[in-house]
Amino acid sequence: MTSIAIAHDYLTQRRGAERVVATFANMFPDAPIYTSLYNPEKTFDTFRDRDIHALPLNRLPVLRKHHRWAFPLLAPAFSRCSIDADLTLISSSGWAHGAKTTGKKIVFCHSPARWLYQSGRHLGARAPLAAKVALALGGKPLRRWDHRAAHSADRYVAVSNSKAREIRDLYRIEATVVHSPMSLDVDGIQESVSSLDDGFLLCVAAALPYKNVDAIVESFSSLPNERLVVVGGIRPGQPVPVNVTVLHDIAEAELRWLYAHCSGLVSASYEDFGLTPIEAAAFGKPTAALQFGGHLDTIIPGETGVFFSTPTPEAIVAGIRSLRSQSWSHDVLTQHAEQFSVTNFTAKIQAVIDEVL
């Protein structure tokens, strides 16, 4: 019987990459999961009953709480991680693919290391000092480490066509494209969020520089008749217009309610894949999004959303007005979302595994 293991950068948050790992875990319920840091309170409950192998870094509570502070330590930590299995299925944005494996290695790449190749966009002006120092002193060695890690894989899988091109350009590796699954249960229980009326626009994104949430929030100063709900947070000290509500750490049932009761989604992120437009489409809601990266795979202009060209308040306002000026078919939107189902994803991943084995 083939033994299978799973690895992921860190299990300390609830985002698209962790949803992919949860899907892997459901595909292979007996597979141990290797990760650098594990905080069960901050990630999906799926992992609570699993065999989690956290690296020694996990002994430091401060790193479990603030995983980005571990930035200079993650490459060497994964270099010392050895996984004994016939096949290791790795979910990586630049760290976990460095783990050593005794058997075959498949890397599901959400993005080549943004901290190395898009550091300005990814880390922003307020990047942690440790990250800036690590890049200044170790940029070249880290890039050599990253290329060796990439070429240690038996198969690379990219989350989107834009990421497949990036992998080809950086590593000279031809990656198979398998889009991430839309695993949010549309038919699950909904829990209302108080004080919100239907018809608001929704933004679901972490408060990271490349997500450009600050530009979306600022744009609503020019849209006094609109209302925005932000799920995930904003940068500290950012002015918040009176027509913007910011929510933190909401439950899945509340997220379902927000998608069901919003009138559309706004995303200005430099996305690897673009999961939130698919989640919105699953509830029959269109998206106004930045014309970049993974959004090009997950949005059909005029059918499931509109694009704006730059992540600036002016362009975002124009995108929202374009979204409002059009009518949208609930059936077209939901049928589009079905292409990104968990069933389709698991079938494609299983096909890759069968080929590699």
Side-chain angles (χ1 to χ4, degrees):
M1 185 175 178
T2 303
S3 59
I4 293 178
I6 299 167
H8 179 58
D9 298 331
Y10 28 68
L11 292 172
T12 58
Q13 50 192 351
R14 298 181 182 92
R15 294 177 60 191
E18 287 69 42
R19 289 189 185 277
V20 169
V21 181
T23 303
F24 289 160
N26 290 333
M27 289 176 68
F28 305 106
D30 296 326
I33 301 173
Y34 292 78
T35 191
S36 61
L37 301 164
Y38 175 48
N39 186 340
E41 302 302 321
K42 291 295 184 180
T43 193
F44 295 114
D45 291 341
T46 302
F47 305 116
R48 288 181 180 270
D49 297 326
R50 298 305 300 264
D51 180 16
I52 304 292
H53 295 251
L55 301 185
L57 293 176
N58 200 56
R59 297 170 188 161
L60 300 175
V62 67
L63 297 184
R64 293 198 300 271
K65 186 175 181 181
H66 303 286
H67 66 261
R68 290 181 181 85
W69 292 5
F71 176 93
L73 308 174
L74 291 172
F78 272 109
S79 293
R80 290 191 289 271
C81 175
S82 183
I83 302 173
D84 184 12
D86 296 325
L87 172 77
T88 302
L89 190 54
I90 295 179
S91 161
S92 180
S93 297
W95 306 108
H97 69 165
K100 294 180 173 63
T101 61
T102 58
K104 300 289 186 179
K105 178 194 287 191
I106 297 173
V107 174
F108 185 90
C109 181
H110 304 279
S111 175
R114 302 184 202 91
W115 41 273
L116 274 180
Y117 307 113
Q118 303 170 24
S119 57
R121 178 187 295 164
H122 179 62
L123 298 174
R126 292 173 293 278
L129 179 62
K132 293 181 178 178
V133 171
L135 277 177
L137 298 179
K140 282 188 176 180
L142 279 170
R143 281 189 285 274
R144 287 195 294 269
W145 174 88
D146 182 61
H147 278 250
R148 286 195 303 271
H151 284 273
S152 70
D154 294 280
R155 180 70 63 87
Y156 238 71
V157 178
V159 72
S160 66
N161 284 290
S162 68
K163 287 301 159 183
R165 289 191 293 271
E166 193 174 331
I167 289 164
R168 184 188 307 122
D169 292 343
L170 285 173
Y171 303 140
R172 300 295 186 263
I173 293 173
E174 293 294 333
T176 303
V177 177
V178 178
H179 295 120
S180 287
M182 202 299 289
S183 58
L184 186 64
D185 182 9
V186 176
D187 298 319
I189 295 171
Q190 295 182 14
E191 184 177 332
S192 65
V193 180
S194 62
S195 76
L196 290 178
D197 297 323
D198 290 10
F200 55 88
L201 289 164
L202 183 64
C203 172
V204 182
L208 296 172
Y210 73 98
K211 297 288 188 180
N212 297 311
V213 178
D214 54 346
I216 296 176
V217 170
E218 185 180 342
S219 73
F220 275 73
S221 296
S222 303
L223 296 165
N225 296 323
E226 296 282 4
R227 184 162 185 82
L228 174 70
V229 176
V230 176
V231 175
I234 58 174
R235 62 177 172 83
Q238 180 180 5
V240 180
V242 295
N243 57 340
V244 174
T245 300
V246 181
L247 303 174
H248 303 271
D249 295 326
I250 65 169
E252 290 273 287
E254 292 174 306
L255 181 60
R256 282 190 284 267
W257 186 92
L258 289 167
Y259 274 124
H261 290 264
C262 74
S263 57
L265 182 81
V266 185
S267 175
S269 302
Y270 290 105
E271 279 297 343
D272 307 325
F273 170 56
L275 176 62
T276 54
I278 296 301
E279 292 178 339
F283 286 85
K285 306 303 169 69
T287 297
L290 180 64
Q291 190 171 12
F292 180 89
H295 284 152
L296 304 178
D297 286 14
T298 60
I299 296 172
I300 303 173
E303 294 188 19
T304 68
V306 299
F307 285 129
F308 49 85
S309 58
T310 59
T312 59
E314 296 77 15
I316 294 167
V317 167
I320 291 171
R321 287 174 175 161
S322 176
L323 190 80
R324 290 300 201 191
S325 70
Q326 301 180 45
S327 58
W328 305 96
S329 167
H330 184 278
D331 289 345
V332 168
L333 284 155
T334 55
Q335 287 168 15
H336 175 67
E338 287 172 4
Q339 299 175 44
F340 301 88
S341 68
V342 171
T343 300
N344 286 347
F345 174 80
T346 56
K348 292 175 181 178
I349 289 295
Q350 188 60 59
V352 172
I353 291 171
D354 292 343
E355 289 175 9
V356 169
L357 290 178

